[in-house]
Amino acid sequence: MADRRGQLAARVRDSLAEALGATRTRLSAAQAELTAGRERLVRVRRAAAAVPERVGGQRDRRLAEIDARHSTRIAELARQAADAARREAPGCAGADWPGWTPTPTRRAEPPGALRIGTVRIDDVDPVPALVPLLDAGHVHLSGDDRTGCDAVVSALLLRAVGRADPGAVRLIGYDPEHLGGGLAGFAPLGTAGLLTFVGPGGLGPLLDDLVEQIRRINETVLAGEHGSLRELAAATGRRPEPWRVAVLLGGDELNRHERGQLERVVRAGAACGVHLVVRGVPLPEDPTVTRVVAEVSGAWVGGPSGLPVRLDPPPPATLVTETCRETAARVNAGPPPTPFADLLPPPELMWREDSSGGLSAPIGEGPQGRPVRLTLGDYPPHALIGGPSGTGKTNLIFAWIGALAARYSPAELEFYLLDFKEGVSFARFAQGRRDPSWLPHMRLVGINVNTDREFGLALLRFLAEELRRRADAAKKHEVTKLAELRAVDPTGHWPRIVAVVDEFQMLLAGRDVVAREAADLLEDLARRGRSQGIHLVLASQDVRGIEALWGRPALVAQFTLRIALPKALRILAERNDAAQSLPRWHAVVNAESGMVEGNEIARIPSASDWETWSGLQNRLWRMRPPDAAPARLFDGDAIPRLVEAPDFRALTAPPDGTAPRSPVALLGEIIDVQARSAVLRLPRAPGRNLAVLGTRVDEACAVLDAAARSLARQHPSGTARFSIACLDSDADPMARALYDDLADDAAWYDEETVGELMAETADGLTGPSSPHYLLLFAVDAAAGALAARSGQRTGLEQLRRILHDGPERRTHVLAWWRGVARMRADLGGPAARTDQIGAWVALDAHGGELGASLYPGTGGPDWYPRPWRGLFFDRAVHRTGQVVIPYGPSR
């Protein structure tokens, strides 16, 4: 029993020991954790104590960074504001008064904002404080600082006058309290009409006038095409109206009508260049009104809570007076000549206009700076230009052509230009040695044609044919006008055509067939050309040129656009003498048939000097279409060359090496719009021979030389014979040169051997035929030799047989006789038939000598010989003769 209790006690003691050990272990762990916790608490408390110091340091650093960035940003914004102020208020619009001087801008450019003071931002340099006025809005001044308000008014007006072109700003002053004393410094502007004062009680009429100006500008100037004068100037490069600034300095309370008119000016004035600078008169709220408050304590732009500014001091009184006096002097002296560039659109707008409805372009500047435009269309359709020599007629034509060519592409407009007076000024429109460029719109340039009236007639015939072509196309498409034709046939080539004829009276001089036909064609073109886009511009420096038209009232009536240069007579209506008092380089433009009420005065720019015109022409030439060709240049003083003739270059021999069936001989250049040759066809038919008639050796040799060379170009070597007989020593050099160039195909004959040529050729007419051309130089000189030879038949009889039977055997005579009577004698006498001479070229033979059997009808052709011209007639082709220019020597 005792053992069991002992064992139980031992187990209890062991359990208690284990429990005590475990308790001690846990106590030790708890004490260690307590120690660690206390240590963590110490560290946390230490860290917590360090946080405010660290956060404060970081906060201070962050604040320093923000402050630095803010200062940098403020400085950058101030710099950008200063740059913007310089852009918006360049030159005198934003400069300080010390050293201030006017810096006018171009009339088409707005002067920009105007400075009234400065704005200071922190410690950076002051930034100009600007106020928009011209083309922008109105300025209203208020506050108890009267001196500050006066300074703002003076600054705005002086900067506006100095920044705008002289005369482009007009001031109207209303100062009932001081009777204009507030604007006394600007008084010199009154001498040029740039400053007017309205007395007490005149505010109502002033506002009425401003409203009327706004209505007029909206109705007649902007005309719904532009929203404002500023837009119009930006689009056209011209500003047609001045800025009008009304300065209203106090007054009585406005009545109902005046308030209504004032509201209209505020609402619509800025778009029309009508502006208000007001103090002491309430203005209605409107976005265009800038309010400036000037108090003794400070000034603000935008109202009492707006941007604080420091107002500039007023401009020095002497500066105001001197600037206004200089501006008035420049306006009184008249505007400088309009730069030619002002007539042109910006480069990016060139060739953008459509000519369907007509052609319109400025020709110069009017007295008020507005561009004066010339229009050609359905009305007015044609123009008449007149002025004595030296008054600028050529310059005006250059300016007009340049203004049109810069606006309309060659697909919209073509020019044909003809100058009957001597000179080459118009040659620059065509390609030349000095300048390879040409005006892409120009299709024809005729110069030095004072003796070649036939060329003017050829131009009128060409235009008449073009008119017929257009009328046929319009009839086909069932339309009547060019605009309608272009709408229904957009793929057709229907540009407007402007034909300029300078000294046109030469065409109408005399009573011959040329004058009669030219007058008839002019009248028809003037009457019907308007509907098909063909416009005539006739110019003359001689009153007789104008008088040549008065016998045809139907023709004169079509020229409703009249341009009179200084001292021009008979251009305008009978009682319209406006041209008599014109200064040089001016013109009266009148689209009402010369009636007084249609007068507009234009100052014409200098457009005809080489450098001015060359710049525009080269620009347009570089813009030309890929298929553009140079204009045809006809120079009446130049002698064409055979090798340059298009018809000669087109001649070739048949590809199979045989002779051509119907060869052609080129005799000279036709006086025509196209560079065409006078062509003589030589088929196997009776009469296919040529006679050259006259005593001019060089010209006669040139005709035969061109004929032979053109024939030789069509025959392969060895397939044709050229027999050259020269019986005049003066013709020997050219005949020898031709013989040398034809080489093996040519044979040479002289006075001793020409009889053998006649006999051999006549006998050969019975055998097989091959092409044979007899080129007889001065054949009449061999009459004696031909008469003394050949037994039964004389040489002259053989020549007559060759002329009669040869062409059907491919034997053709191309001979030069030194007189019509000599040719008749060689052919058998005055009664002999001449039908074996199917074609002839008359040189210095008069028309009366060519009558009877050589020319149809009676009396002969209207032909008056002149140097290096011939009359070509082919009885198988022509009804009337054709004037030709022999080709110059080939060597």
Side-chain angles (χ1 to χ4, degrees), residues 70-349:
H70 175 74
S71 299
T72 302
R73 181 61 175 163
I74 290 295
E76 176 62 20
L77 290 175
R79 184 188 64 78
Q80 292 178 1
D83 290 343
R86 281 191 292 271
R87 290 193 302 271
E88 292 298 318
C92 68
D96 292 326
W97 297 128
W100 188 92
T101 184
T103 55
T105 185
R106 293 182 58 190
R107 188 179 296 273
E109 299 175 358
L114 305 174
R115 169 176 166 167
I116 63 170
T118 56
V119 177
R120 179 171 292 279
I121 305 174
D122 292 344
D123 295 328
V124 300
D125 293 337
V127 175
L130 308 180
V131 170
L133 181 64
L134 302 186
D135 279 341
H138 318 281
V139 177
H140 180 266
L141 299 163
S142 62
D144 58 12
D145 185 2
R146 186 182 183 90
T147 302
C149 290
D150 291 343
V152 172
V153 172
S154 298
L156 288 175
L157 299 184
L158 183 61
R159 293 185 190 277
V161 169
R163 185 60 182 154
D165 200 49
V169 172
R170 297 184 181 180
L171 307 180
I172 307 101
Y174 176 69
D175 187 8
E177 295 181 7
H178 297 84
L179 301 179
L183 301 177
F186 295 88
L189 293 176
T191 61
L194 302 178
L195 173 64
T196 56
F197 287 102
V198 176
L203 181 59
L206 167 60
L207 294 175
D208 291 342
D209 180 67
L210 295 179
V211 170
E212 175 59 23
Q213 294 291 348
I214 294 171
R215 184 205 61 77
R216 178 186 61 81
I217 292 170
N218 276 320
E219 181 179 334
T220 64
V221 180
L222 299 178
E225 297 182 8
H226 301 279
S228 67
L229 288 176
R230 182 170 187 170
E231 290 182 12
L232 185 150
T236 63
R238 304 290 299 164
R239 185 180 181 88
E241 292 284 335
W243 287 282
R244 295 174 173 87
V245 181
V247 185
L248 311 182
L249 303 179
D252 298 330
E253 183 177 352
L254 277 62
N255 59 38
R256 182 177 178 181
H257 174 74
E258 291 170 344
R259 284 197 302 271
Q261 295 293 70
L262 187 64
E263 290 176 1
R264 294 183 180 92
V265 174
V266 169
R267 185 171 58 252
C272 298
V274 177
H275 306 280
L276 300 172
V277 176
V278 177
R279 189 194 73 227
V281 177
L283 289 186
E285 292 295 331
D286 193 89
T288 60
V289 177
T290 300
R291 300 187 183 275
V292 179
V293 179
E295 302 282 359
V296 175
S297 58
W300 297 265
V301 173
S305 60
L307 179 69
V309 299
R310 180 179 180 181
L311 297 179
D312 286 338
T318 55
L319 179 63
V320 175
T321 304
E322 290 174 1
T323 301
C324 293
R325 186 178 293 117
E326 180 181 350
T327 300
R330 293 182 62 181
V331 172
N332 288 327
T338 304
F340 178 53
D342 285 358
L343 299 186
L344 310 179
E348 64 274 10
L349 296 180

Side-chain angles (χ1 to χ4, degrees), residues 343-537:
L343 299 186
L344 310 179
E348 64 274 10
L349 296 180
M350 288 184 175
W351 290 6
R352 295 291 184 86
E353 298 195 24
D354 186 342
S355 67
S356 296
L359 302 167
S360 182
I363 192 61
E365 186 178 81
Q368 306 304 328
R370 300 178 58 183
V372 177
R373 301 185 71 85
L374 295 181
T375 298
L376 291 175
D378 288 344
Y379 188 89
H382 311 293
L384 196 59
I385 303 173
S389 177
T391 55
K393 178 163 54 68
T394 299
N395 182 72
L396 184 145
I397 292 173
F398 267 88
W400 194 3
I401 289 176
L404 287 172
R407 284 167 172 77
Y408 300 95
S409 71
E412 300 287 335
L413 170 63
E414 291 182 349
F415 287 109
Y416 293 80
L417 181 59
L418 192 60
D419 187 4
F420 272 102
K421 67 178 182 297
E422 295 184 7
V424 296
S425 56
F426 292 140
R428 69 186 67 178
F429 294 121
Q431 191 175 33
R433 291 187 297 272
R434 180 178 178 184
D435 185 354
S437 70
W438 69 87
L439 188 65
H441 309 69
M442 195 65 63
R443 306 313 316 138
L444 173 71
V445 179
I447 59 175
N448 293 318
V449 292
N450 49 310
T451 60
D452 289 316
R453 297 162 61 231
E454 295 85 0
F455 189 78
L457 185 59
L459 172 59
L460 297 181
R461 288 171 177 168
F462 171 85
L463 295 176
E465 177 61 25
E466 177 64 17
L467 177 61
R468 185 200 60 76
R469 184 180 76 89
R470 294 184 176 209
D472 290 346
K475 187 182 301 182
K476 174 183 175 182
H477 291 284
E478 299 181 345
V479 296
T480 58
K481 296 183 179 181
L482 180 70
E484 299 169 347
L485 177 61
R486 290 178 60 167
V488 299
D489 185 21
T491 60
H493 183 63
W494 308 114
R496 286 193 179 266
I497 291 175
V498 176
V500 183
V501 184
D502 196 6
E503 300 305 328
F504 70 93
Q505 72 275 3
M506 297 293 295
L507 264 176
L508 307 177
R511 298 181 179 179
D512 56 8
V513 293
V514 173
R516 289 193 296 271
E517 184 178 357
D520 291 339
L521 288 172
L522 270 177
E523 187 167 335
D524 184 58
L525 287 167
R527 180 172 51 85
R528 298 194 299 130
R530 70 167 72 201
S531 61
Q532 302 304 332
I534 297 177
H535 308 282
L536 302 174
V537 178

Side-chain angles (χ1 to χ4, degrees), residues 460-770:
L460 297 181
R461 288 171 177 168
F462 171 85
L463 295 176
E465 177 61 25
E466 177 64 17
L467 177 61
R468 185 200 60 76
R469 184 180 76 89
R470 294 184 176 209
D472 290 346
K475 187 182 301 182
K476 174 183 175 182
H477 291 284
E478 299 181 345
V479 296
T480 58
K481 296 183 179 181
L482 180 70
E484 299 169 347
L485 177 61
R486 290 178 60 167
V488 299
D489 185 21
T491 60
H493 183 63
W494 308 114
R496 286 193 179 266
I497 291 175
V498 176
V500 183
V501 184
D502 196 6
E503 300 305 328
F504 70 93
Q505 72 275 3
M506 297 293 295
L507 264 176
L508 307 177
R511 298 181 179 179
D512 56 8
V513 293
V514 173
R516 289 193 296 271
E517 184 178 357
D520 291 339
L521 288 172
L522 270 177
E523 187 167 335
D524 184 58
L525 287 167
R527 180 172 51 85
R528 298 194 299 130
R530 70 167 72 201
S531 61
Q532 302 304 332
I534 297 177
H535 308 282
L536 302 174
V537 178
L538 305 184
S540 176
Q541 67 180 17
D542 192 335
V543 66
R544 290 174 300 176
I546 309 304
E547 290 175 341
L549 296 177
W550 298 128
R552 290 179 172 262
L555 174 59
V556 176
Q558 303 299 326
F559 289 82
T560 52
L561 177 57
R562 312 284 178 84
I563 305 172
L565 294 162
K567 302 299 186 292
L569 299 174
R570 304 297 301 273
I571 289 288
L572 304 175
E574 184 175 356
R575 296 184 180 180
N576 189 350
D577 59 356
Q580 302 309 305
S581 58
L582 277 181
R584 194 182 181 194
W585 309 118
H586 286 67
V588 178
V589 176
N590 188 303
E592 301 297 335
S593 299
M595 302 302 292
V596 175
E597 55 269 21
N599 285 352
E600 285 188 275
I601 307 300
R603 188 179 182 91
I604 311 300
S606 176
S608 58
D609 63 276
W610 178 269
E611 301 237 351
T612 297
W613 182 260
S614 182
L616 173 63
Q617 180 163 298
N618 274 275
R619 176 183 291 276
L620 299 181
W621 179 67
R622 291 192 297 271
M623 295 167 59
R624 71 192 186 280
D627 58 347
R632 150 92 155 128
L633 175 62
F634 176 85
D635 185 352
D637 286 348
I639 299 176
R641 300 183 69 241
L642 179 67
V643 293
E644 297 172 355
D647 289 333
F648 180 76
R649 293 198 298 265
L651 294 176
T652 57
D656 57 3
T658 62
R661 299 184 61 182
S662 182
V664 299
L666 307 184
L667 308 178
E669 183 178 280
I670 300 173
I671 296 183
D672 192 17
V673 171
Q674 307 296 331
R676 297 187 298 125
S677 299
V679 176
L680 171 64
R681 297 196 173 274
L682 297 177
R684 300 179 65 175
R688 293 291 82 196
N689 301 299
L690 173 71
V692 181
L693 306 171
T695 60
R696 298 191 185 123
V697 177
D698 290 343
E699 297 169 30
C701 291
V703 173
L704 294 183
D705 181 85
R709 293 180 187 276
S710 55
L711 288 168
R713 192 174 175 87
Q714 302 164 69
H715 292 280
S717 180
T719 62
R721 296 170 55 202
F722 293 86
S723 298
I724 301 173
C726 184
L727 308 171
D728 185 337
S729 59
D730 292 337
D732 191 74
M734 285 193 67
R736 283 284 182 185
L738 175 64
Y739 169 71
D740 293 340
D741 290 344
L742 295 180
D744 296 337
D745 293 334
W748 180 266
Y749 299 88
D750 55 21
E751 189 174 355
E752 298 297 325
T753 57
V754 67
E756 299 174 5
L757 170 62
M758 297 298 131
E760 176 190 347
T761 304
D763 293 342
L765 295 178
T766 58
S769 61
S770 61

